[in-house]
Amino acid sequence: MYFAIIGEDVADSLSLRLGVRPAHVARLEALRDAGRLLLAGPFPADEGENGQQGFTGSLIVADFASLAECQAWAEADPYVQAGVYARVVIKPFKKVLP
């Protein structure tokens, strides 16, 4: 089943994000390569796509066997470990379109 992982950043998270981004992206690429990643990306703090004003969080939608497996994966994320996220919310997700 798909789960949405919504990470909400701490204030002024950009330097923390940049420091652990390669490890964070590597984990996402592993999900992608296993055919389990539906989408992933950050929420820019402004309307630009490049995050000049930083980011407010991230959204990951991926396939996990259970909520417990998804929670364990999310807890091990480098952004969580480094303190980028102030809070993480996980919800089951049903893909309807496209």
Side-chain angles (χ1 to χ4, degrees):
M1 166 170 233
Y2 283 116
F3 290 90
I5 303 168
I6 303 131
E8 298 175 359
D9 282 24
V10 298
D12 301 316
S13 63
L14 189 57
S15 63
L16 287 172
R17 276 180 165 267
L18 294 175
V20 294
R21 186 175 185 277
H24 172 76
V25 170
R27 293 181 85 235
L28 294 172
E29 290 172 338
L31 284 177
R32 179 201 61 204
D33 294 348
R36 296 173 51 199
L37 183 64
L38 183 62
L39 63 89
F43 299 117
D46 58 22
E47 293 182 24
E49 290 185 23
N50 60 6
Q52 288 179 321
Q53 301 299 314
F55 298 94
T56 62
S58 302
L59 171 64
I60 299 164
V61 180
D63 184 31
F64 291 93
S66 66
L67 176 59
E69 180 186 335
C70 181
Q71 289 170 327
W73 187 91
E75 289 170 7
D77 189 86
Y79 281 179
V80 171
Q81 300 295 314
V84 172
Y85 295 151
R87 178 177 118 132
V88 175
V89 175
I90 299 173
K91 298 181 179 191
F93 180 82
K94 180 180 176 185
K95 182 179 185 276
V96 175
L97 293 171

